[in-house]
Amino acid sequence: MLNVVILAAGKGTRMRSNLPKVLHPIAGTPMLAHVLDTARKLGTAKICVVYGHGGEFVPQKLAAPDVAWALQEPQLGTGHAVLQALPHLSAVPPAPTLVLYGDVPLIRPETLQRLIACAGQNRLALLTAHLDDPKGYGRIVRVDGKVVRIVEEKDADDAERAIREINTGILVAPGAALARWLPQLGNRNAQGEYYLTDIVAMAVAEGMEIATAQPDDNWETDGINSKNQLARLERIHQRNIAEALMEQGVTLADPERIDVRGELICGKDVFIDVNCVFEGRVELQDGVRINAHCVIQDAVVGPHSIIGPFARLRPGTVLAEDVHIGNFVEVKNSTIAAHSKANHLAYVGDTTMGSRVNVGAGTITCNYDGANKFRTVIEDDVFIGSDTQLVAPVTVGKGATLGAGTTLTRDAPPEQLTVSRAKQVSIPGWKRPVKKKKE
Ligand code: UD1
Ligand code: MG
């Protein structure tokens, strides 16, 4: 069992935003939510988030009932922050405590499992990294290969600043020892803060062993302090998602040009062209082709369907087998059965569509009267001519044809041609008006 403390009280001044830093999104969800998801994967007894800047807005936005929230006000340093969490952690049985950061969102659970394993029940374990440019970080001071303390950049002398092994900040400490050390921390240092890092020297003084582990990739422990760093980690995260999709057999036209902001589930032989955005939970079944520039949210795309280019599938779209949704077609809260096609310029909303329906260019389901939404039912084998409006609630019977330009306000009977446009007339001898000559 494990306690997890996530530090998220800092201000994030360099984001230059009214939104608290830890709520800025990576892949569409707050960076703090990524850390929470990772913490939940570790077999955790209790998770406590230390919050401060942004106040109650942070717990409200996260809406995580399994999490304890500890307010840190004012923010007197990382050691002071962890101290605020202690009363919220489960003390019986005594469990190691893992410290994570709300602004370090890409840490891998596998890396943490390794750190937790090397901590065991009675060691202090630090996640460290070797950097070419260690500037700004706390340095790991070793004597005869053994860690003896951490020194912050601002408190370090020249020899210590030359050390390239840095403190990522992530650590695991035995629960009882942590509770003993934290109240003893002082703040006589360059920043006048209670440093969590000072527990290392305390542990060494007690004869406790200090273990270290490293992440597989250094970006795992990168923090976000600015919009530039936010964008950088977003790209790394998206690249990781793209690589995982390709591992599963998805073909991506360009792994640098896909954005997944949620869960994308793919069958066999799925192809995704450039610049597509997936939001919420999207399922692409076997043989689906997504052409360039599509936005797809909370939708199911049936086997061998073809979407786009430039299509938008909104929440509640469920497409069966071999459905074609072409350019500038929007589908929302609709089910479309097998082999139906809407290939150009259409809006299909709140619709139940049968099989083998052909939706002509410019077709619009008028589902909204300004107050309420209504459904459109289009049965099997219907042919809808171009530039047709279906004013819901309305049903088009099986095999019906709607003439181009029809505004359908009543149900269309099966198998017949229904057309509502005015009869075409031609006027013989008609002359165009001409400009009057000036006198
Ligand atoms: C800290 C470490 C440093 C390490 C670095 C890695 C200490 C003393 N130093 O330094 O060794 O190399 O992280 O990035 O721990 N926070 C609170 N409450 C506070 C202070 C901080 O919640 O009172 C949170 C911040 O929101 C932030 C994190 O703790 O997410 C780290 O704080 P920060 O002041 O940025 O630490 P560093 O000075 O970078
Ligand atoms: Mg600081």
Side-chain angles (χ1 to χ4, degrees):
M1 274 305 197
L2 184 77
N3 287 309
V4 180
V5 176
I6 302 173
L7 302 192
K11 186 143 187 252
T13 315
R14 284 163 60 200
M15 297 297 277
R16 299 189 185 281
S17 167
N18 289 329
L19 190 67
K21 177 163 79 171
V22 292
L23 295 182
H24 283 266
I26 288 280
T29 37
M31 57 176 101
L32 176 55
H34 289 263
V35 185
L36 282 173
D37 281 347
T38 304
R40 289 188 185 108
K41 289 179 186 150
L42 301 171
T44 307
K46 195 85 200 183
I47 301 174
C48 178
V49 177
V50 181
Y51 71 109
H53 186 77
E56 300 306 321
F57 192 57
V58 176
Q60 274 165 22
K61 275 283 156 192
L62 265 291
D66 58 330
V67 167
W69 296 87
L71 181 65
Q72 186 200 19
E73 190 57 69
Q75 288 110 42
L76 302 178
T78 50
H80 178 256
V82 177
L83 184 64
Q84 311 310 306
L86 289 189
H88 299 274
L89 302 181
S90 70
V92 185
T97 299
L98 167 68
V99 179
L100 298 174
Y101 299 84
D103 57 0
V104 181
L106 299 191
I107 183 71
R108 283 197 182 106
E110 295 78 10
T111 295
L112 296 175
Q113 294 287 16
R114 238 177 15 249
L115 186 71
I116 293 160
C118 80
Q121 290 301 308
N122 45 27
R123 274 183 294 271
L124 175 59
L126 308 174
L127 192 67
T128 73
H130 297 269
L131 300 185
D132 291 335
D133 178 15
K135 198 169 181 298
Y137 291 96
R139 308 297 205 283
I140 307 293
V141 182
R142 291 180 186 262
V143 173
D144 299 331
K146 286 201 157 88
V147 176
V148 293
R149 62 194 178 92
I150 296 176
V151 60
E152 292 303 296
E153 162 106 8
K154 285 183 178 138
D155 302 288
D157 60 28
D158 287 348
E160 289 163 341
R161 280 205 194 106
I163 298 170
R164 298 214 305 215
E165 186 182 9
I166 62 97
N167 173 35
T168 66
I170 294 171
L171 57 81
V172 178
L178 191 64
R180 195 164 64 240
W181 297 330
L182 290 177
Q184 297 178 44
L185 290 175
N187 65 351
R188 271 187 285 163
N189 51 52
Q191 303 185 78
E193 287 180 8
Y194 296 89
Y195 289 166
L196 176 62
T197 45
D198 285 349
I199 66 170
V200 177
M202 289 177 175
V204 171
E206 287 183 10
M208 186 183 281
E209 227 184 298
I210 315 292
T212 55
Q214 284 75 41
D216 289 325
D217 292 291
N218 281 344
W219 48 253
E220 288 183 58
T221 57
D222 283 352
I224 295 175
N225 297 298
S226 66
K227 293 289 171 67
N228 270 295
Q229 290 168 344
L230 179 69
R232 200 180 144 261
L233 287 199
E234 174 78 32
R235 278 0 289 166
I236 290 170
H237 184 59
Q238 292 298 342
R239 177 76 206 196
N240 292 342
I241 294 171
E243 280 172 11
L245 288 170
M246 292 186 294
E247 279 307 316
Q248 291 161 32
V250 176
T251 304
L252 299 179
D254 182 354
E256 303 291 343
R257 282 184 289 170
I258 175 172
D259 283 81
V260 181
R261 301 173 192 151
E263 193 187 1
L264 178 59
I265 299 145
C266 293
K268 279 218 166 68
D269 297 309
V270 167
F271 171 80
I272 302 173
D273 211 329
V274 299
N275 292 338
C276 294
V277 178
F278 299 89
E279 296 176 311
R281 188 186 183 282
V282 173
E283 193 181 329
L284 308 179
Q285 295 176 355
D286 291 356
V288 163
R289 182 183 175 94
I290 309 292
N291 289 315
H293 306 287
C294 292
V295 178
I296 302 183
Q297 181 178 14
D298 293 308
V300 177
V301 180
H304 306 289
S305 291
I306 302 173
I307 311 299
F310 298 101
R312 181 172 181 206
L313 306 183
R314 290 172 53 203
T317 295
V318 178
L319 310 180
E321 193 188 343
D322 182 40
V323 169
H324 294 196
I325 302 295
N327 37 227
F328 308 106
V329 175
E330 173 182 346
V331 183
K332 185 216 74 167
N333 190 30
S334 296
T335 59
I336 300 182
H339 315 295
S340 289
K341 295 176 177 59
N343 270 329
H344 334 265
L345 301 160
Y347 172 64
V348 178
D350 302 311
T351 296
T352 305
M353 193 185 296
S355 294
R356 296 171 302 277
V357 171
N358 195 306
V359 177
T363 296
I364 288 171
T365 56
C366 310
N367 58 334
Y368 186 52
D369 64 4
N372 299 297
K373 298 266 169 72
F374 300 96
R375 283 201 81 80
T376 298
V377 176
I378 300 166
E379 295 178 351
D380 292 347
D381 301 300
V382 164
F383 181 96
I384 301 175
S386 298
D387 192 25
T388 294
Q389 301 91 48
L390 298 100
V391 182
V394 74
T395 295
V396 183
K398 186 175 183 327
T401 299
L402 303 184
T406 291
T407 299
L408 194 73
T409 51
R410 282 175 285 125
D411 291 353
E415 311 297 344
Q416 297 180 23
L417 169 67
T418 299
V419 59
S420 75
R421 61 176 185 252
K423 273 225 156 50
Q424 180 169 323
V425 291
S426 301
I427 298 165
W430 180 80
K431 289 270 186 319
R432 275 193 210 165
V434 287
K435 265 192 182 155
K436 275 190 186 141
K437 272 200 189 114
K438 282 211 176 106
E439 319 255 305

